[in-house]
Amino acid sequence: TFKSITTGLFVVVFINLWVTYAETVIHASRLSLSVFQLTLMAVFLVLILVINPQLKRGSTRFMFTRPELMAIVAIGMVGSVVPASGITGFLVGVISTPFYFATPENSWADFYHPNLNSWMVPTQAEAVRGFFEGLRPGQQIPWSVWFIPLSWWATLIAAIFAVSASVMVILRRQWADNEKLAYPLVAVPENLIAGDQRFPDIFYTPLFWLGAAVPFSLLAWKSLSWFYPLLPILDVFPNAGKFYFTRYSPHIQIEPMNCFTIGFAYFANLQVLFSVWFFFLLHVVEGGIFNRIGYQIQTSSDSFSADPPTQAYQCFGALACLVIWRLWVARNHLLTVLETAMGRQPEDHREVLSYRTALIVLILGLIYVFYWLNSAGMDVVTAGLMIAAASVIYIGIARIVTEAGLVYAGATITPQAFAMDIRGTVGLSPQTLTAVALSYGLVDYMRGLFTPAVAHAVQIGDGLGANKRRLLFWICISILLGLLASVTFTLYLGYTHGAYNFPRFPFFSGDPKNVFRSTLVQMRTPQAADPNRLIFFGIGAGLMALLTFLRYRLSWWPLHPIGLALSSADNTAHLVMPVFIAWAAKSIIMKVGGVQLYQRAQPVFLGLIAGYTAGVVWCFVIDVIWFPGQGHMVHNW
């Protein structure tokens, strides 16, 4: 409806501005790392707890209905991917770095500048300097310097979104109807808005408020310690510390009270949750053995891929096998999609986009992405390898999130590192490697960029009624508005405060510089293709195939293979403790009281999400008022 569309677009713009301000100026918590973002949950809670009850008091025709609220969630999930660590931070950081940080010592001017065009990056040194160091009195922001490169990057982002949306529309019926995936991230807002009273039913449940009180009280207590240092600190939230089983083994991050992860994970399948923490423990054992015997191959080709490469490529092979197998399982459905697109079968009006349109958009989008990368200087083979690796990540992470309910999930190898490692950099031209370095502007920490959010949005669209086909159009508009808001605000803050004062992640002084440093190493000392990486890639794919076979053939087999693809990812060390807590709690509840007790306990875990969200927002408000520029990172993963 008009009301849900305008509200959804407003929410997206608001979140983009909020996240940008929080990370660049306040230096507070990182709010844009999850698929269902904490900022979106905060706005959603305000809608259902404050705004909608007030609208109900006036007239029920003004209130948001449940489909309208879910449409707002769908638009917000995709549109809030944009700011900071999603797109804007890396994109603006990467394209502004090669000229500002070029020095005679690092030789960037010799290796990079001849291959950089003004349609890809801002080339006026003085304009870029003003962005990093701030403008002098009387100077104006040179918007025109940024307009052309950012416009061309926006076309690439639009093409990637079009491809992502088309793939998720094509696969939705297979995943939701045929394979019955849980979509835990959709289940949470649906449960929060259930009921016909003034407030949703969940808010009349004491267990909800009990669950909410625990994380909010702990965060409120923590905020008091900022004013009264003598208060004892109950540091049970992120950044609490690392634990090593042995001096040789990989670490586990001690984050038992990451209630955001716990709450969403409760709605996932028990075997999936068990798989996540079980395979992480196997990763720790395997890593400890490799370290103990001194076996290792060269370190990762970039700073975004996981270390060590042995296990990172093993996980990436498992992810590739997962994607290929799920596509093979969906072969009958994909044939139906093709026949429907060709007019041989009646169209399925349940989808937010017709299959014919989805296929056409998919093909045209892939062609444009390939053309864009090639025009940027990337050779055909490297562009093909990167697109193939990105496809594995985009589809694989979307599949994992829809099945496992992990709000934080990422792949272990970037498409850029995969292309350089598999092909070798010996035969790659400087133009190709420069284009590879620039492509890190959309790396998004290997979270699949739009696909996990779009997968949930199209599933929400299944229940939106006759107007559902408007959804993708307005989601696309939300992305463009989010880009416009976050990029404009980022540039304004840079020229006002000096972008060099922005935090390291994902902005300028850290990862973007490392991108060009690591790529320059490949230019100066090119490497041949590494067969060891291919071997471990094959080992991972083989293990995934074996585990999948056992799961299909043996009804008693307890291991779900999905955890193998995540076990060595950087953020899995942060996820494993909360996932274990959710698995243990749900296992006990199901053993004691079955499905009935599971449903009765849901308010506790919904309360954990709501209370944790309120606590992080509380801490942010305190940082804005009393600690601007010196904020506290209470929420990081």
Side-chain angles (χ1 to χ4, degrees):
T1 63
F2 175 80
K3 181 169 55 178
S4 62
I5 287 169
T6 53
T7 305
L9 296 179
F10 173 80
V11 166
V12 167
V13 173
F14 174 74
I15 288 175
N16 276 266
L17 297 178
W18 178 6
V19 171
T20 303
Y21 185 71
E23 293 202 19
T24 58
V25 177
I26 304 301
H27 293 192
S29 297
R30 302 185 66 192
L31 302 173
S32 61
L33 294 174
S34 53
V35 177
F36 196 117
Q37 290 193 17
L38 186 141
T39 49
L40 177 60
M41 179 57 68
V43 173
F44 185 69
L45 290 172
V46 171
L47 273 175
I48 62 178
L49 271 178
V50 180
I51 297 177
N52 224 27
Q54 294 301 317
L55 294 175
K56 284 184 181 181
R57 291 183 63 182
S59 173
T60 54
R61 66 192 181 94
F62 293 120
M63 61 174 280
F64 290 98
T65 63
R66 274 178 282 181
E68 286 176 325
L69 289 170
M70 292 307 295
I72 293 170
V73 169
I75 295 172
M77 281 187 72
V78 184
S80 58
V81 170
V82 173
S85 299
I87 295 176
T88 304
F90 287 123
L91 175 58
V92 177
V94 166
I95 66 175
S96 60
T97 290
F99 279 91
Y100 179 75
F101 289 102
T103 64
E105 291 77 18
N106 61 29
S107 301
W108 286 10
D110 300 326
F111 285 90
Y112 289 124
H113 291 185
N115 308 310
L116 295 172
N117 297 314
S118 59
W119 69 270
M120 294 188 295
V121 299
T123 56
Q124 295 186 19
E126 191 61 32
V128 177
R129 183 180 297 109
F131 173 63
F132 277 97
E133 300 175 7
L135 292 175
R136 294 190 293 271
Q139 287 185 309
Q140 300 295 320
I141 298 176
W143 298 107
S144 59
V145 174
W146 298 87
F147 179 76
I148 292 178
L150 288 174
S151 297
W152 280 109
W153 280 96
T155 64
L156 177 62
I157 293 167
I160 292 173
F161 167 73
V163 171
S164 302
S166 300
V167 172
M168 292 301 104
V169 167
I170 290 170
L171 292 176
R172 189 209 66 81
R173 186 175 179 182
Q174 172 67 22
W175 289 3
D177 298 348
N178 299 344
E179 300 183 39
K180 306 295 183 185
L181 297 190
Y183 288 88
L185 272 61
V186 175
V188 169
E190 285 180 339
N191 279 277
L192 284 172
I193 62 177
D196 297 317
Q197 305 179 67
R198 182 182 174 190
F199 293 96
D201 291 348
I202 192 74
F203 299 106
Y204 295 95
T205 307
L207 287 177
F208 173 84
W209 295 106
L210 177 63
V214 174
F216 182 81
S217 300
L218 290 171
L219 282 169
W221 180 272
K222 188 170 186 175
S223 67
L224 285 176
S225 69
W226 304 338
F227 298 95
Y228 305 101
L230 294 181
L231 285 175
I233 299 176
L234 303 175
D235 203 357
V236 295
F237 288 101
N239 305 316
K242 298 179 180 179
F243 174 76
Y244 293 85
F245 291 96
T246 72
R247 61 181 295 189
Y248 303 103
S249 63
H251 74 276
I252 179 174
Q253 193 80 13
I254 305 300
E255 298 178 9
M257 287 303 293
N258 189 332
C259 299
F260 210 64
T261 301
I262 294 172
F264 280 100
Y266 181 74
F267 292 87
N269 180 279
L270 272 175
Q271 286 190 339
V272 172
L273 296 178
F274 176 79
S275 170
V276 172
W277 69 262
F278 176 80
F279 279 104
F280 177 80
L281 291 183
L282 289 185
H283 154 73
V284 170
V285 173
E286 182 185 25
I289 294 173
F290 282 158
N291 291 337
R292 188 66 182 89
I293 64 177
Y295 177 79
Q296 188 54 270
I297 58 180
Q298 292 178 350
T299 57
S300 296
S301 300
D302 57 35
S303 58
F304 294 105
S305 298
D307 274 319
T310 49
Q311 294 174 284
Y313 266 91
Q314 183 175 287
C315 288
F316 196 70
L319 185 67
C321 180
L322 170 69
V323 170
I324 293 171
W325 172 249
R326 299 323 311 180
L327 292 176
W328 172 253
V329 169
R331 62 192 181 277
N332 291 331
H333 168 70
L334 296 177
L335 181 60
T336 301
V337 169
L338 182 60
E339 291 178 343
T340 303
M342 298 174 65
R344 296 177 182 174
Q345 289 199 29
E347 183 181 339
D348 187 350
H349 292 280
R350 292 175 54 194
E351 305 302 336
V352 297
L353 196 67
S354 71
Y355 286 149
R356 177 179 297 177
T357 304
L359 280 175
I360 293 173
V361 171
L362 172 61
I363 295 170
L364 293 179
L366 284 174
I367 291 173
Y368 185 79
V369 171
F370 185 87
Y371 169 78
W372 198 101
L373 294 175
N374 185 250
S375 298
M378 196 177 299
D379 66 63
V380 173
V381 177
T382 304
L385 286 172
M386 274 190 54
I387 291 173
S391 300
V392 167
I393 295 172
Y394 284 20
I395 299 174
I397 297 302
R399 169 75 189 202
I400 288 171
V401 173
T402 54
E403 191 166 2
L406 299 178
V407 285
Y408 305 96
T412 56
I413 300 293
T414 64
Q416 295 85 350
F418 180 82
M420 290 188 290
D421 291 339
I422 299 304
R423 190 181 178 194
T425 55
V426 174
L428 299 185
S429 66
Q431 293 84 0
T432 291
L433 288 172
T434 301
V436 167
L438 289 175
S439 69
Y440 283 97
L442 300 179
V443 71
D444 189 44
Y445 282 135
M446 295 100 73
R447 294 174 297 184
L449 201 56
F450 295 115
T451 48
V454 173
H456 291 80
V458 297
Q459 175 63 7
I460 290 172
D462 184 45
L464 292 186
N467 293 334
K468 66 179 68 175
R469 294 211 164 169
R470 300 178 183 175
L471 182 63
L472 275 183
F473 172 78
W474 290 108
I475 286 176
C476 186
I477 297 299
S478 77
I479 293 171
L480 296 177
L481 286 177
L483 272 173
L484 181 63
S486 61
V487 168
T488 303
F489 196 38
T490 299
L491 293 176
Y492 169 78
L493 293 174
Y495 283 105
T496 304
H497 298 276
Y500 203 80
N501 296 315
F502 291 176
R504 181 182 178 210
F505 297 105
F507 298 96
F508 320 104
S509 61
D511 278 337
K513 288 175 67 176
N514 290 334
V515 162
F516 289 96
R517 287 172 181 156
S518 61
T519 308
L520 188 62
V521 171
Q522 302 294 338
M523 287 185 176
R524 285 177 160 170
T525 56
Q527 305 291 323
D530 187 355
N532 292 312
R533 284 169 161 80
L534 276 177
I535 289 172
F536 278 93
F537 180 91
I539 290 173
L543 288 173
M544 176 63 77
L546 175 62
L547 290 169
T548 303
F549 173 82
L550 293 173
R551 178 170 172 78
Y552 268 74
R553 294 299 181 184
L554 303 177
S555 60
W556 52 266
W557 184 256
L559 280 180
H560 196 291
I562 201 170
L564 179 61
L566 295 173
S567 57
S568 69
D570 289 336
N571 55 358
T572 304
H574 298 259
L575 288 174
V576 65
M577 182 67 77
V579 167
F580 176 81
I581 292 173
W583 168 83
K586 187 173 181 179
S587 297
I588 294 171
I589 289 169
M590 294 292 287
K591 287 285 186 183
V592 172
V595 175
Q596 285 188 337
L597 186 59
Y598 161 73
Q599 293 175 340
R600 290 175 60 186
Q602 284 181 357
V604 175
F605 293 87
L606 293 171
L608 288 177
I609 296 173
Y612 183 79
T613 300
V616 173
V617 173
W618 168 271
C619 292
F620 170 76
V621 172
I622 290 177
D623 283 336
V624 170
I625 299 173
W626 283 285
F627 303 99
Q630 299 175 336
H632 301 83
M633 194 173 288
V634 299
H635 174 75
N636 191 27
W637 288 96

